[in-house]
Amino acid sequence: MMKGKLKQILLMTDGYSNYGEDPIAIARLAQEYGISVNVIGIIDDNRENESGLHEVEAIALAGGGVSQTVFAQDLTKTVQMVTRKAMTQTLHGVVNQELKQILGKHEEIESLSPEKRGEMMEVVDDLGESVLLEVLVLVDTSASMETKLPMVQEALIDLSISLNARSGETRFALYSFPGKRKPVERLLDWTPQLDSLNKMFHKLSPGGMTPTGPALKEAIAVFEERKGKRRFDGDENERLYG
């Protein structure tokens, strides 16, 4: 039924964006490019950022993804849950589109008989385990994130271990914002393992503003640049749902 890959942006932040383009508009653009935007809003016991939490939900909604707010100490299980849930949500939509093409424009999984619906959900589960998954992680490294970065590191390494237990291939890239000299900085190029985070997270110097919109825009550009290179190399599987 489905070939190609799933593309996700995983945005991890504790603050309200305060620099650059509107992140909600950029998230909407990402969805148009076939990239789902998932957002984890990190809070701590003595800080409640209501504006930031509203933005977390709005970005994910515009980007066709999943959002969750979480205390820093609970980050590990939340990162895995959000990524998995987003995969299922995206695959559910793909299967529905396939059904509409086969059975008619008004058919969706929910309209099938319980037996057929169960079969379709098995297809979704199987695809979730086998499809190629690319996750570009955007980590907010503004000043307020300093004490949370060790937990972010731990959560991402656990995510890498969890997703690499799938039968399908998983690739990660890691970017931080703000960067030292520009709004976004690449920390780790595409790799199936995030264990090398141990070598770089201690080098981060949290500070500066929160350019969430430019960070999301850069993430889209990274996916598009990667697609262009693969197309140049003649990779016929590059299409998102080819």
Side-chain angles (χ1 to χ4, degrees):
M1 177 182 291
M2 173 180 162
K3 301 176 183 177
K5 70 181 69 168
L6 292 183
K7 302 177 186 178
Q8 291 189 15
I9 294 171
L10 177 61
L11 171 65
M12 305 175 71
T13 180
D14 74 342
Y16 183 72
S17 63
N18 52 22
Y19 173 76
E21 298 97 330
D22 177 9
I24 298 170
I26 303 299
R28 192 174 295 114
L29 179 64
Q31 188 181 25
E32 293 177 6
Y33 278 90
I35 307 165
S36 65
V37 181
N38 309 305
V39 193
I40 296 177
I42 307 169
I43 57 178
D44 52 37
D45 294 326
N46 56 10
R47 179 169 175 266
E48 187 73 25
N49 183 350
E50 188 172 346
S51 296
L53 298 184
H54 284 315
E55 185 177 79
V56 162
E57 296 174 359
I59 292 172
L61 182 63
V66 175
S67 68
Q68 185 73 40
T69 56
V70 62
F71 288 107
Q73 61 266 28
D74 298 324
L75 196 56
T76 295
K77 60 184 179 183
T78 302
V79 169
Q80 293 186 33
M81 180 274 291
V82 165
T83 306
R84 292 273 185 178
K85 186 176 180 181
M87 288 172 59
T88 300
Q89 178 174 292
T90 304
L91 291 166
H92 193 283
V94 173
V95 171
N96 269 332
Q97 288 300 316
E98 294 278 355
L99 282 175
K100 288 178 181 179
Q101 291 182 19
I102 296 169
L103 303 176
K105 63 180 181 179
H106 300 298
E107 288 290 343
E108 294 189 352
I109 291 178
E110 288 77 7
S111 66
L112 298 174
S113 67
E115 182 181 353
K116 289 294 183 182
R117 192 183 313 144
E119 291 176 3
M120 285 295 113
M121 292 312 299
E122 286 183 13
V123 170
V124 170
D125 290 341
D126 289 343
L127 286 172
E129 288 301 308
S130 61
V131 71
L132 170 59
L133 174 65
E134 290 189 339
V135 182
L136 191 151
V137 182
L138 286 176
V139 178
D140 178 357
T141 53
S142 56
S144 58
M145 282 288 291
E146 183 170 10
T147 60
K148 304 179 183 75
L149 288 178
M151 285 167 277
V152 170
Q153 177 181 352
E154 180 182 340
L156 291 178
I157 291 174
D158 282 354
L159 175 67
S160 172
I161 294 170
S162 169
L163 291 183
N164 277 298
R166 302 165 56 246
S167 60
E169 185 178 358
T170 307
R171 299 175 189 146
F172 302 92
L174 179 65
Y175 286 69
S176 67
F177 67 99
K180 293 179 180 178
R181 299 179 182 84
K182 50 188 178 181
V184 190
E185 183 173 350
R186 185 177 73 184
L187 301 179
L188 191 64
D189 204 358
W190 294 102
T191 174
Q193 304 288 347
L194 288 177
D195 50 6
S196 53
L197 289 180
N198 292 319
K199 303 172 185 176
M200 67 183 64
F201 256 65
H202 71 280
K203 298 179 182 178
L204 295 177
S205 301
M209 304 180 81
T210 311
T212 309
L216 289 170
K217 191 173 182 179
E218 176 67 18
I220 296 172
V222 170
F223 276 113
E224 286 301 291
E225 179 183 10
R226 183 171 176 77
K227 183 168 70 173
K229 287 181 179 179
R230 285 184 165 268
R231 184 174 294 152
F232 180 78
D233 292 337
D235 186 346
E236 296 179 356
N237 288 325
E238 175 51 37
R239 289 173 51 214
L240 179 61
Y241 305 124

